[in-house]
Structure formats: C-alpha cells, structure tokens
Short mmCIF file of all heavy atoms in Angstrom, two decimals:
data_model
loop_
_atom_site.label_atom_id
_atom_site.label_comp_id
_atom_site.label_asym_id
_atom_site.label_seq_id
_atom_site.Cartn_x
_atom_site.Cartn_y
_atom_site.Cartn_z
N ALA Z 1 -107.06 98.55 -74.49
CA ALA Z 1 -106.82 97.18 -74.01
C ALA Z 1 -106.48 97.19 -72.52
O ALA Z 1 -106.91 96.30 -71.77
CB ALA Z 1 -105.71 96.54 -74.82
N VAL Z 2 -105.69 98.17 -72.08
CA VAL Z 2 -105.37 98.28 -70.65
C VAL Z 2 -106.65 98.48 -69.84
O VAL Z 2 -106.84 97.84 -68.78
CB VAL Z 2 -104.39 99.46 -70.40
CG1 VAL Z 2 -104.24 99.73 -68.90
CG2 VAL Z 2 -103.03 99.14 -71.00
N PHE Z 3 -107.51 99.39 -70.30
CA PHE Z 3 -108.80 99.60 -69.62
C PHE Z 3 -109.61 98.31 -69.56
O PHE Z 3 -110.19 97.97 -68.52
CB PHE Z 3 -109.60 100.69 -70.35
CG PHE Z 3 -111.07 100.64 -70.06
CD1 PHE Z 3 -111.57 101.03 -68.82
CD2 PHE Z 3 -111.96 100.19 -71.02
CE1 PHE Z 3 -112.92 100.98 -68.55
CE2 PHE Z 3 -113.32 100.13 -70.76
CZ PHE Z 3 -113.81 100.53 -69.51
N ALA Z 4 -109.65 97.56 -70.67
CA ALA Z 4 -110.43 96.31 -70.71
C ALA Z 4 -109.88 95.29 -69.71
O ALA Z 4 -110.65 94.58 -69.04
CB ALA Z 4 -110.41 95.74 -72.13
N VAL Z 5 -108.56 95.20 -69.61
CA VAL Z 5 -107.96 94.26 -68.65
C VAL Z 5 -108.33 94.64 -67.22
O VAL Z 5 -108.68 93.78 -66.40
CB VAL Z 5 -106.43 94.22 -68.83
CG1 VAL Z 5 -105.78 93.44 -67.69
CG2 VAL Z 5 -106.06 93.60 -70.16
N ILE Z 6 -108.27 95.95 -66.91
CA ILE Z 6 -108.63 96.42 -65.57
C ILE Z 6 -110.09 96.11 -65.25
O ILE Z 6 -110.41 95.63 -64.16
CB ILE Z 6 -108.36 97.94 -65.44
CG1 ILE Z 6 -106.86 98.23 -65.52
CG2 ILE Z 6 -108.95 98.48 -64.15
CD1 ILE Z 6 -106.54 99.70 -65.60
N GLN Z 7 -110.97 96.37 -66.21
CA GLN Z 7 -112.42 96.22 -65.99
C GLN Z 7 -112.86 94.77 -65.99
O GLN Z 7 -113.62 94.35 -65.12
CB GLN Z 7 -113.18 96.99 -67.07
CG GLN Z 7 -114.70 96.82 -67.03
CD GLN Z 7 -115.32 97.47 -65.82
OE1 GLN Z 7 -114.97 98.58 -65.46
NE2 GLN Z 7 -116.26 96.78 -65.18
N PHE Z 8 -112.40 93.99 -66.95
CA PHE Z 8 -112.97 92.65 -67.18
C PHE Z 8 -112.13 91.50 -66.62
O PHE Z 8 -112.60 90.37 -66.59
CB PHE Z 8 -113.19 92.43 -68.69
CG PHE Z 8 -114.13 93.41 -69.31
CD1 PHE Z 8 -113.66 94.40 -70.16
CD2 PHE Z 8 -115.49 93.36 -69.04
CE1 PHE Z 8 -114.53 95.32 -70.74
CE2 PHE Z 8 -116.36 94.28 -69.61
CZ PHE Z 8 -115.89 95.27 -70.46
N VAL Z 9 -110.89 91.78 -66.22
CA VAL Z 9 -110.04 90.70 -65.71
C VAL Z 9 -109.61 90.96 -64.26
O VAL Z 9 -109.89 90.16 -63.36
CB VAL Z 9 -108.79 90.50 -66.60
CG1 VAL Z 9 -107.91 89.38 -66.03
CG2 VAL Z 9 -109.19 90.18 -68.03
N ILE Z 10 -108.93 92.08 -64.06
CA ILE Z 10 -108.32 92.34 -62.75
C ILE Z 10 -109.38 92.50 -61.66
O ILE Z 10 -109.26 91.88 -60.59
CB ILE Z 10 -107.42 93.59 -62.82
CG1 ILE Z 10 -106.25 93.33 -63.78
CG2 ILE Z 10 -106.90 93.95 -61.43
CD1 ILE Z 10 -105.39 94.55 -64.02
N ARG Z 11 -110.38 93.34 -61.88
CA ARG Z 11 -111.40 93.56 -60.85
C ARG Z 11 -112.16 92.28 -60.49
O ARG Z 11 -112.30 91.96 -59.30
CB ARG Z 11 -112.38 94.65 -61.30
CG ARG Z 11 -113.53 94.93 -60.34
CD ARG Z 11 -113.04 95.50 -59.02
NE ARG Z 11 -114.16 95.83 -58.14
CZ ARG Z 11 -114.04 96.38 -56.94
NH1 ARG Z 11 -112.85 96.69 -56.48
NH2 ARG Z 11 -115.09 96.64 -56.21
N PRO Z 12 -112.68 91.50 -61.46
CA PRO Z 12 -113.38 90.25 -61.09
C PRO Z 12 -112.50 89.27 -60.32
O PRO Z 12 -112.95 88.68 -59.33
CB PRO Z 12 -113.81 89.67 -62.45
CG PRO Z 12 -113.92 90.87 -63.35
CD PRO Z 12 -112.81 91.77 -62.91
N VAL Z 13 -111.26 89.11 -60.77
CA VAL Z 13 -110.35 88.19 -60.06
C VAL Z 13 -110.14 88.67 -58.62
O VAL Z 13 -110.20 87.89 -57.67
CB VAL Z 13 -109.01 88.09 -60.80
CG1 VAL Z 13 -107.98 87.35 -59.94
CG2 VAL Z 13 -109.19 87.37 -62.13
N SER Z 14 -109.90 89.97 -58.47
CA SER Z 14 -109.66 90.54 -57.15
C SER Z 14 -110.86 90.32 -56.22
O SER Z 14 -110.71 89.86 -55.08
CB SER Z 14 -109.36 92.03 -57.29
OG SER Z 14 -109.35 92.67 -56.03
N VAL Z 15 -112.05 90.64 -56.68
CA VAL Z 15 -113.25 90.54 -55.84
C VAL Z 15 -113.54 89.10 -55.44
O VAL Z 15 -113.81 88.80 -54.26
CB VAL Z 15 -114.47 91.15 -56.56
CG1 VAL Z 15 -115.77 90.79 -55.84
CG2 VAL Z 15 -114.33 92.67 -56.65
N HIS Z 16 -113.49 88.20 -56.39
CA HIS Z 16 -113.84 86.81 -56.08
C HIS Z 16 -112.83 86.17 -55.13
O HIS Z 16 -113.21 85.34 -54.29
CB HIS Z 16 -113.98 86.00 -57.38
CG HIS Z 16 -115.27 86.25 -58.10
ND1 HIS Z 16 -116.46 85.65 -57.74
CD2 HIS Z 16 -115.58 87.08 -59.12
CE1 HIS Z 16 -117.43 86.06 -58.54
NE2 HIS Z 16 -116.92 86.94 -59.39
N LEU Z 17 -111.57 86.54 -55.23
CA LEU Z 17 -110.58 86.04 -54.28
C LEU Z 17 -110.81 86.64 -52.89
O LEU Z 17 -110.73 85.93 -51.87
CB LEU Z 17 -109.17 86.37 -54.76
CG LEU Z 17 -108.63 85.51 -55.91
CD1 LEU Z 17 -107.24 86.01 -56.33
CD2 LEU Z 17 -108.56 84.04 -55.52
N CYS Z 18 -111.12 87.93 -52.83
CA CYS Z 18 -111.33 88.59 -51.54
C CYS Z 18 -112.61 88.12 -50.85
O CYS Z 18 -112.72 88.21 -49.62
CB CYS Z 18 -111.39 90.12 -51.73
SG CYS Z 18 -109.83 90.86 -52.24
N ALA Z 19 -113.58 87.64 -51.62
CA ALA Z 19 -114.87 87.25 -51.05
C ALA Z 19 -114.95 85.77 -50.71
O ALA Z 19 -116.00 85.30 -50.25
CB ALA Z 19 -115.99 87.61 -52.03
N LEU Z 20 -113.86 85.03 -50.90
CA LEU Z 20 -113.88 83.60 -50.58
C LEU Z 20 -114.22 83.37 -49.11
O LEU Z 20 -113.66 84.00 -48.23
CB LEU Z 20 -112.52 82.98 -50.89
CG LEU Z 20 -112.17 82.76 -52.37
CD1 LEU Z 20 -110.75 82.24 -52.51
CD2 LEU Z 20 -113.16 81.79 -53.01
N GLY Z 21 -115.19 82.48 -48.86
CA GLY Z 21 -115.58 82.17 -47.49
C GLY Z 21 -116.50 83.17 -46.84
O GLY Z 21 -116.85 83.03 -45.67
N SER Z 22 -116.94 84.20 -47.57
CA SER Z 22 -117.83 85.22 -47.00
C SER Z 22 -119.29 84.82 -47.20
O SER Z 22 -119.61 83.84 -47.89
CB SER Z 22 -117.59 86.58 -47.65
OG SER Z 22 -118.07 86.59 -48.98
N LYS Z 23 -120.19 85.60 -46.59
CA LYS Z 23 -121.62 85.32 -46.70
C LYS Z 23 -122.24 85.94 -47.95
O LYS Z 23 -123.44 85.82 -48.18
CB LYS Z 23 -122.35 85.84 -45.46
CG LYS Z 23 -122.33 87.36 -45.33
CD LYS Z 23 -123.11 87.81 -44.11
CE LYS Z 23 -123.17 89.34 -44.01
NZ LYS Z 23 -123.95 89.79 -42.82
N LEU Z 24 -121.43 86.58 -48.79
CA LEU Z 24 -121.94 87.21 -50.00
C LEU Z 24 -122.42 86.15 -50.99
O LEU Z 24 -121.76 85.13 -51.20
CB LEU Z 24 -120.85 88.06 -50.67
CG LEU Z 24 -120.38 89.31 -49.92
CD1 LEU Z 24 -119.17 89.90 -50.62
CD2 LEU Z 24 -121.51 90.33 -49.84
N SER Z 25 -123.58 86.41 -51.61
CA SER Z 25 -124.07 85.50 -52.64
C SER Z 25 -123.24 85.68 -53.90
O SER Z 25 -122.52 86.67 -54.06
CB SER Z 25 -125.54 85.79 -52.94
OG SER Z 25 -125.68 87.07 -53.57
N MET Z 26 -123.36 84.73 -54.83
CA MET Z 26 -122.59 84.82 -56.07
C MET Z 26 -123.00 86.03 -56.89
O MET Z 26 -122.16 86.69 -57.51
CB MET Z 26 -122.76 83.52 -56.88
CG MET Z 26 -121.76 83.38 -58.01
SD MET Z 26 -120.02 83.48 -57.46
CE MET Z 26 -119.92 81.99 -56.47
N ASN Z 27 -124.30 86.36 -56.88
CA ASN Z 27 -124.76 87.53 -57.64
C ASN Z 27 -124.22 88.83 -57.04
O ASN Z 27 -123.89 89.78 -57.76
CB ASN Z 27 -126.28 87.58 -57.68
CG ASN Z 27 -126.86 86.58 -58.68
OD1 ASN Z 27 -126.10 85.97 -59.44
ND2 ASN Z 27 -128.16 86.43 -58.69
N GLU Z 28 -124.13 88.88 -55.71
CA GLU Z 28 -123.54 90.06 -55.07
C GLU Z 28 -122.07 90.21 -55.43
O GLU Z 28 -121.57 91.32 -55.65
CB GLU Z 28 -123.72 89.97 -53.55
CG GLU Z 28 -125.16 90.17 -53.09
CD GLU Z 28 -125.34 89.93 -51.59
OE1 GLU Z 28 -124.57 89.13 -51.02
OE2 GLU Z 28 -126.25 90.54 -51.01
N ARG Z 29 -121.36 89.08 -55.53
CA ARG Z 29 -119.95 89.13 -55.93
C ARG Z 29 -119.79 89.59 -57.38
O ARG Z 29 -118.86 90.33 -57.71
CB ARG Z 29 -119.31 87.75 -55.74
CG ARG Z 29 -119.36 87.26 -54.30
CD ARG Z 29 -118.72 85.90 -54.13
NE ARG Z 29 -119.09 85.31 -52.85
CZ ARG Z 29 -118.49 84.28 -52.29
NH1 ARG Z 29 -117.46 83.71 -52.89
NH2 ARG Z 29 -118.91 83.81 -51.13
N HIS Z 30 -120.73 89.15 -58.23
CA HIS Z 30 -120.67 89.58 -59.63
C HIS Z 30 -120.85 91.10 -59.74
O HIS Z 30 -120.14 91.75 -60.52
CB HIS Z 30 -121.76 88.88 -60.44
CG HIS Z 30 -121.52 87.41 -60.62
ND1 HIS Z 30 -120.26 86.85 -60.65
CD2 HIS Z 30 -122.40 86.36 -60.79
CE1 HIS Z 30 -120.35 85.54 -60.83
NE2 HIS Z 30 -121.64 85.22 -60.91
N LEU Z 31 -121.79 91.65 -58.97
CA LEU Z 31 -122.00 93.10 -59.04
C LEU Z 31 -120.80 93.87 -58.48
O LEU Z 31 -120.38 94.88 -59.04
CB LEU Z 31 -123.27 93.50 -58.28
CG LEU Z 31 -123.67 94.98 -58.40
CD1 LEU Z 31 -123.96 95.33 -59.85
CD2 LEU Z 31 -124.90 95.28 -57.54
N LEU Z 32 -120.22 93.37 -57.39
CA LEU Z 32 -119.00 93.97 -56.84
C LEU Z 32 -117.87 93.93 -57.86
O LEU Z 32 -117.06 94.86 -57.95
CB LEU Z 32 -118.56 93.23 -55.58
CG LEU Z 32 -119.32 93.53 -54.28
CD1 LEU Z 32 -118.89 92.56 -53.19
CD2 LEU Z 32 -119.07 94.96 -53.82
N SER Z 33 -117.83 92.87 -58.66
CA SER Z 33 -116.78 92.73 -59.67
C SER Z 33 -116.93 93.76 -60.78
O SER Z 33 -115.95 94.09 -61.45
CB SER Z 33 -116.82 91.33 -60.29
OG SER Z 33 -116.61 90.34 -59.31
N TRP Z 34 -118.13 94.26 -60.95
CA TRP Z 34 -118.40 95.18 -62.06
C TRP Z 34 -118.16 96.65 -61.66
O TRP Z 34 -117.80 97.47 -62.49
CB TRP Z 34 -119.84 95.00 -62.53
CG TRP Z 34 -120.17 95.76 -63.78
CD1 TRP Z 34 -120.97 96.86 -63.90
CD2 TRP Z 34 -119.70 95.48 -65.10
NE1 TRP Z 34 -121.03 97.28 -65.20
CE2 TRP Z 34 -120.26 96.44 -65.97
CE3 TRP Z 34 -118.85 94.51 -65.65
CZ2 TRP Z 34 -120.00 96.45 -67.34
CZ3 TRP Z 34 -118.60 94.52 -67.01
CH2 TRP Z 34 -119.17 95.48 -67.83
N ILE Z 35 -118.35 96.96 -60.38
CA ILE Z 35 -118.32 98.36 -59.94
C ILE Z 35 -116.98 98.69 -59.28
O ILE Z 35 -116.68 98.20 -58.19
CB ILE Z 35 -119.48 98.67 -58.97
CG1 ILE Z 35 -120.82 98.40 -59.65
CG2 ILE Z 35 -119.41 100.11 -58.50
CD1 ILE Z 35 -122.02 98.61 -58.75
N ALA Z 36 -116.19 99.52 -59.94
CA ALA Z 36 -114.95 100.04 -59.36
C ALA Z 36 -114.51 101.26 -60.16
O ALA Z 36 -113.43 101.26 -60.78
CB ALA Z 36 -113.86 98.98 -59.36
N PRO Z 37 -115.31 102.32 -60.21
CA PRO Z 37 -114.95 103.50 -61.01
C PRO Z 37 -113.81 104.28 -60.36
O PRO Z 37 -113.72 104.36 -59.15
CB PRO Z 37 -116.25 104.32 -61.03
CG PRO Z 37 -116.94 103.95 -59.75
CD PRO Z 37 -116.60 102.51 -59.50
N ARG Z 38 -112.96 104.85 -61.19
CA ARG Z 38 -111.88 105.69 -60.69
C ARG Z 38 -112.34 107.14 -60.65
O ARG Z 38 -113.24 107.53 -61.40
CB ARG Z 38 -110.62 105.56 -61.56
CG ARG Z 38 -109.72 104.42 -61.15
CD ARG Z 38 -110.40 103.07 -61.23
NE ARG Z 38 -109.50 101.97 -60.84
CZ ARG Z 38 -109.87 100.70 -60.87
NH1 ARG Z 38 -111.08 100.37 -61.24
NH2 ARG Z 38 -109.02 99.76 -60.50
N GLY Z 39 -111.68 107.97 -59.79
CA GLY Z 39 -112.19 109.32 -59.61
C GLY Z 39 -111.13 110.39 -59.45
O GLY Z 39 -110.04 110.30 -60.01
N ILE Z 40 -111.47 111.38 -58.62
CA ILE Z 40 -110.69 112.61 -58.50
C ILE Z 40 -109.27 112.38 -58.01
O ILE Z 40 -108.31 112.98 -58.52
CB ILE Z 40 -111.41 113.58 -57.54
CG1 ILE Z 40 -112.64 114.18 -58.24
CG2 ILE Z 40 -110.50 114.70 -57.09
CD1 ILE Z 40 -112.31 115.04 -59.42
N VAL Z 41 -109.09 111.52 -57.01
CA VAL Z 41 -107.75 111.33 -56.43
C VAL Z 41 -106.78 110.82 -57.50
O VAL Z 41 -105.66 111.31 -57.63
CB VAL Z 41 -107.80 110.36 -55.24
CG1 VAL Z 41 -106.40 110.01 -54.76
CG2 VAL Z 41 -108.59 110.98 -54.09
N ALA Z 42 -107.21 109.84 -58.29
CA ALA Z 42 -106.35 109.32 -59.35
C ALA Z 42 -106.02 110.42 -60.36
O ALA Z 42 -104.87 110.55 -60.80
CB ALA Z 42 -107.04 108.15 -60.05
N ALA Z 43 -107.02 111.22 -60.74
CA ALA Z 43 -106.79 112.29 -61.71
C ALA Z 43 -105.82 113.34 -61.17
O ALA Z 43 -104.90 113.77 -61.88
CB ALA Z 43 -108.13 112.94 -62.08
N ALA Z 44 -106.03 113.77 -59.94
CA ALA Z 44 -105.21 114.84 -59.37
C ALA Z 44 -103.77 114.38 -59.16
O ALA Z 44 -102.81 115.08 -59.51
CB ALA Z 44 -105.82 115.30 -58.05
N ILE Z 45 -103.59 113.17 -58.58
CA ILE Z 45 -102.23 112.70 -58.27
C ILE Z 45 -101.47 112.39 -59.56
O ILE Z 45 -100.27 112.67 -59.65
CB ILE Z 45 -102.29 111.47 -57.36
CG1 ILE Z 45 -102.90 111.84 -56.00
CG2 ILE Z 45 -100.90 110.89 -57.14
CD1 ILE Z 45 -103.03 110.69 -55.04
N SER Z 46 -102.15 111.83 -60.56
CA SER Z 46 -101.46 111.54 -61.82
C SER Z 46 -100.94 112.81 -62.47
O SER Z 46 -99.81 112.83 -62.99
CB SER Z 46 -102.39 110.79 -62.78
OG SER Z 46 -103.46 111.63 -63.20
#
C-alpha cells in the first residue's frame, strides 16, 4: 500500500503542481507522473 501511494498518488500530485504554468503538454505531464524509479543511492543509504 505504501508503494501504491508513492506511485499512484504522491508522484502525480507532485509533478502536476510543479508543472503549473509551464509549456509542457498534459500528456507530457502524465508521463512524468508515471516515471520516478528509485535506485542505488536509496538502497545503499538505507
């Protein structure tokens, strides 16, 4: 459930708020909302 909230709620809200007033199309914002994979730094520091 935590993963689902991060993927489907937090990231879309964050992107759409950050992109307000920009030249990005709505479809570009949707794709940005979907892509935010975590990687090595999170694994190593945790």
Side-chain angles (χ1 to χ4, degrees):
V2 170
F3 160 72
V5 170
I6 293 172
Q7 175 69 43
F8 299 108
V9 179
I10 296 174
R11 177 65 177 182
V13 169
S14 170
V15 167
H16 282 280
L17 284 177
C18 293
L20 286 176
S22 71
K23 67 178 184 180
L24 293 172
S25 68
M26 193 56 66
N27 283 352
E28 288 174 332
R29 300 180 195 195
H30 291 331
L31 186 61
L32 282 171
S33 300
W34 188 251
I35 301 178
R38 272 61 179 182
I40 286 295
V41 172
I45 296 178
S46 67

